[in-house]
Amino acid sequence: VGLGIRAMATNWLELSTGLVHGEIYDESETGFVLDARAHFSKVFSLGLDFVKYSDEDQLGVSARFSF
């Protein structure tokens, strides 16, 4: 489950931030999320995301095709 905000910083750069919460078995974890997405066209973009949990960090890369 997540909650955040997202905005277009420029015509091609989208930025977002928020909180994410997950529960697996008897453990729950809340983290802070930072995302950046570069829109190269109306249908293709690349993204970079960073999630900070209390005991670990995650870094992700993604590609999106919108149709």
Side-chain angles (χ1 to χ4, degrees):
V1 176
L3 177 67
I5 59 171
R6 153 175 97 172
M8 294 298 291
T10 66
N11 288 340
W12 60 273
L13 181 62
E14 177 182 339
L15 301 174
S16 63
T17 187
L19 296 173
V20 63
H21 178 79
E23 296 183 12
I24 299 176
Y25 301 111
D26 292 336
E27 296 186 27
S28 75
E29 192 78 44
T30 301
F32 178 72
V33 181
L34 292 173
D35 289 321
R37 179 163 295 280
H39 294 268
F40 295 99
S41 71
K42 289 187 176 188
V43 297
F44 178 70
S45 64
L46 293 176
L48 180 65
D49 63 282
F50 174 76
V51 182
K52 174 72 174 167
Y53 291 106
S54 61
D55 60 348
E56 72 178 68
D57 299 336
Q58 294 179 356
L59 184 63
V61 177
S62 63
R64 180 186 298 165
F65 290 96
S66 304
F67 51 92

